[in-house]
Amino acid sequence: MESIGAMDAQVQRLREQIDATESQLRALKSQLHSAEEAADAARYLNGAYQGGVPPAWQDEFINVLGHDASNYANEETHQTRGFGEQRWPLRSEEYGRYGRQMIMPEIGLPGQLRLKNAKVLIVGVGGLGCPAAAYLAGAGIGTLGLMDGDTVEVSNLHRQIAHNTARVGSMKVDSALEYLKSLNDTIEYRAHRFHLTPQEALSIFEQYDLVLDCTDHPTSRYLISDACVLTGKPLVSASALKTEGQLIVLNNPPQPPGDVNGGPCYRCVFPKPQPAESVLSCGEGGVLGPVVGVMGVLQALEAIKLLASKPNSSITDSPMEMTDDTSSPEEPVRPTLLMFSAYNTPQFRSVRLRSRRVDCATCSGHPTITRHSLTSGSLDYVAFCGVSNPVSVLSPSSQITPSALSQVSIDGSNIVIDVRDETQYAICALPGSINVPWNGSADAWFEQALKSGAIAKHEDGRDRYVVCRLGNDSQLAVKAALDRTGLGSIKDMKGGFRAWREEVDLTWPDY
Ligand SMILES: [Zn+2]
């Protein structure tokens, strides 16, 4: 009898053969498609195309030229024009500008016309939105909308590449527009200098063909996804934090709620928001510039793939499919979640997603989220996602202000315990302070603090002051010590080093 190992090997072999054959078939179909388009184009440009405008181009001609394209290519027009008076579907400058991408079969002239005809909205002009906008503007997206209510800060500049030092304090939308216009002033830009609200979302999204979610908070992610489902727009969503990022193309194809052939929405993938306490912003958790840059560039790539491909074709398959791909062009789009991790090997992984959930609150046949609930403002996205309030677990007697602490001499009689992580402690710390990082567990922290000699179980005549970056973790550490020792000689520095910088030492690094 064959061993199980041998049978597994045979299964594996057959799988690989099927994969190889299917991939060959797919490549052949794609070649056929390109060859047909190229032949149509050649016939058309030679005036030999018998059927007017090639079928693959008709939509674009109608849309781009604003009238029935068949008139443009009909016999009469051709006969009455000399060779020097040919009219071309793109302006002469555009052939030069987009030539490098247009000569690829994936784009071609039809794809370039589709891009020119497309309207894309970028929500959030930060670490994701800047690179995404740059590549979309560069690629010749006809209309690019930018939405953001924030102003440029110097801490944005390591990753938000459309902004610069001179524009710190400007609206992000205006700063990005200046950059983008210098990159490509031949396309139309629309400025939305405010944060998205449920009441306005639908009327704004309706002006566009595709939306990029380049925001950084769950509240906006749910709102943007809901509005995309309700207005029938595909959504390219990405996020990045620390050294990792995620990319997902949602509501693609953008069928109406209840249509099982439509792509899943954000609520299908994440029906419930993460607990608010666990949601870190880039300001709190940190982010590496190129990591968020990679994700923003990938968003632009997915947008271009989606917009330049023929309607109803499968070129829009999935974000950078890294798994074994066995789909044929006839199969529906399969949504995947692409995950990037800068310090992992391999850096990219992709997870196949399920189709729409039958109980989705937005895209199912029985939605509870409707156009009316959005426009009436009855949906509270902030409450849905929860709010992580600043920690407040201590009585005032267990706290000391930075000013008061600055008057205390830190010698052997007093101890300052810094609960930030080691990386932050190494950036800046008070002389003589002891680093015992808060790791989220009161027991573990207390054990560590005892072991390091930072705290004692019994009164030893010394005062202890606990400090951190913002004054939240330090409160939790003080409470952990109070609960376990009952000693009143341990205090929290109110407001953390952010307050210390404001009250005591303006030179304290503001990172
Ligand atoms: Zn859904």
Side-chain angles (χ1 to χ4, degrees):
M1 194 177 140
E2 266 185 299
S3 74
I4 293 177
M7 288 189 275
D8 281 346
Q10 193 191 3
V11 168
Q12 183 58 28
R13 231 177 3 257
L14 286 168
R15 280 211 178 109
E16 282 166 7
Q17 278 176 20
I18 290 172
D19 287 353
T21 314
E22 283 184 331
S23 133
Q24 208 180 0
L25 175 65
R26 213 164 42 250
L28 280 170
K29 283 186 176 170
S30 162
Q31 279 176 30
L32 171 66
H33 173 75
S34 304
E36 282 172 346
E37 277 201 353
D40 284 350
R43 264 188 222 108
Y44 174 67
L45 292 174
N46 289 331
Y49 193 85
Q50 296 304 309
V53 173
W57 298 11
Q58 274 173 9
D59 286 350
E60 286 73 25
F61 273 67
I62 292 167
N63 292 331
V64 171
L65 301 172
H67 57 79
D68 188 342
S70 56
N71 291 336
Y72 166 55
N74 70 15
E75 291 296 312
E76 191 190 31
T77 318
H78 269 277
Q79 281 164 5
T80 52
R81 283 216 182 92
F83 283 116
E85 300 168 59
Q86 282 218 48
R87 278 178 56 200
W88 305 99
L90 290 174
R91 293 194 303 274
S92 118
E93 192 255 9
E94 292 171 322
Y95 289 94
R97 184 177 280 271
Y98 308 121
R100 294 295 183 278
Q101 66 189 41
M102 227 193 313
I103 56 177
M104 302 189 313
E106 289 83 355
I107 306 293
L109 177 61
Q112 192 62 49
L113 289 170
R114 288 185 193 105
L115 295 179
K116 179 172 175 158
N117 196 33
K119 301 184 182 75
V120 176
L121 174 65
I122 296 179
V123 187
V125 191
L128 296 166
C130 287
Y135 277 103
L136 292 180
I141 297 294
T143 303
L144 205 51
L146 304 178
M147 180 184 287
D148 204 309
D150 282 339
T151 53
V152 178
E153 294 176 25
V154 76
S155 65
N156 301 149
L157 298 181
H158 80 124
R159 64 189 190 281
Q160 303 187 8
I161 55 160
H163 311 311
N164 65 30
T165 311
R167 295 201 287 267
V168 167
S170 312
M171 294 295 295
K172 283 188 177 177
V173 167
D174 294 319
S175 166
L177 281 179
E178 209 172 320
Y179 168 84
L180 294 169
K181 283 178 182 167
S182 72
L183 179 69
N184 188 353
D185 63 351
T186 70
I187 66 172
E188 185 189 332
Y189 297 99
R190 292 182 188 163
H192 306 280
R193 296 178 189 82
F194 46 80
H195 293 297
L196 187 66
T197 65
Q199 289 87 338
E200 290 171 314
L202 299 181
S203 62
I204 294 172
F205 282 25
E206 265 154 6
Q207 304 165 26
Y208 295 91
D209 304 314
L210 173 75
V211 177
L212 265 59
D213 181 353
C214 299
T215 64
D216 62 354
H217 197 274
T219 313
S220 45
R221 294 200 181 285
Y222 284 100
L223 169 56
I224 291 168
S225 170
D226 290 346
C228 279
V229 172
L230 293 170
T231 53
K233 311 295 175 184
L235 168 63
V236 183
S237 183
S239 64
L241 186 67
K242 297 184 180 182
T243 60
E244 303 192 333
Q246 297 183 341
L247 174 76
I248 186 170
V249 179
L250 296 162
N251 198 39
N252 179 43
Q255 304 296 352
D259 186 331
V260 291
N261 294 317
C265 75
Y266 193 76
R267 285 184 196 269
C268 294
V269 186
F270 305 105
K272 286 201 181 98
Q274 286 179 286
E277 311 80 69
S278 70
V279 177
L280 282 177
S281 70
C282 290
E284 293 154 343
V287 66
L288 205 52
V291 169
V292 66
V294 162
M295 302 319 295
V297 171
L298 287 175
Q299 280 184 286
L301 173 61
E302 290 308 320
I304 290 171
K305 279 164 62 184
L306 237 153
L307 295 167
S309 64
K310 261 179 84 170
N312 306 323
S313 84
S314 67
I315 302 168
T316 61
D317 204 17
S318 60
M320 273 189 57
E321 186 64 70
M322 301 296 285
T323 53
D324 54 333
D325 188 347
T326 56
S327 73
S328 71
E330 284 75 30
E331 281 175 19
V333 176
R334 293 160 321 159
T336 58
L337 171 68
L338 179 72
M339 293 183 287
F340 172 67
S341 182
Y343 287 79
N344 264 9
T345 311
Q347 289 176 316
F348 285 101
R349 282 182 302 139
S350 115
V351 178
R352 188 77 43 85
L353 297 175
R354 286 169 202 275
S355 46
R356 286 184 168 178
R357 294 172 73 99
V358 291
D359 60 349
C360 177
T362 312
C363 72
S364 70
H366 308 282
T368 54
I369 293 162
T370 60
R371 294 183 70 93
H372 177 71
S373 58
L374 238 72
T375 47
S376 68
S378 64
L379 269 175
D380 190 338
Y381 285 87
V382 176
F384 172 67
C385 293
V387 184
S388 56
N389 289 314
V391 175
S392 179
V393 296
L394 298 175
S395 66
S397 62
S398 292
Q399 292 189 295
I400 182 171
T401 63
S403 312
L405 181 59
S406 71
Q407 303 303 314
V408 174
S409 63
I410 303 304
D411 47 30
S413 61
N414 304 305
I415 298 176
V416 172
I417 307 170
D418 190 326
V419 300
R420 294 173 301 158
D421 63 35
E422 288 156 19
T423 314
Q424 292 185 49
Y425 186 74
I427 293 174
C428 50
L430 291 176
S433 60
I434 301 175
N435 186 212
V436 186
W438 174 256
N439 55 10
S441 155
D443 282 328
W445 182 82
F446 184 71
E447 282 308 312
Q448 194 56 38
L450 273 183
K451 227 162 92 184
S452 66
I455 55 176
K457 273 188 174 158
H458 306 288
E459 187 61 64
D460 61 359
R462 296 200 275 191
D463 289 328
R464 289 175 167 81
Y465 304 98
V466 183
V467 297
C468 69
R469 186 177 177 200
L470 300 172
N472 293 328
D473 290 349
S474 57
Q475 289 186 53
L476 300 173
V478 167
K479 186 166 188 303
L482 282 174
D483 290 348
R484 285 161 184 77
T485 65
L487 301 178
S489 54
I490 181 162
K491 287 188 164 56
D492 156 59
M493 183 177 82
K494 258 181 112 158
F497 281 119
R498 182 166 289 178
W500 175 269
R501 181 182 146 82
E502 280 166 20
E503 289 181 30
V504 178
D505 181 3
L506 266 176
T507 72
W508 189 264
D510 181 20
Y511 58 84

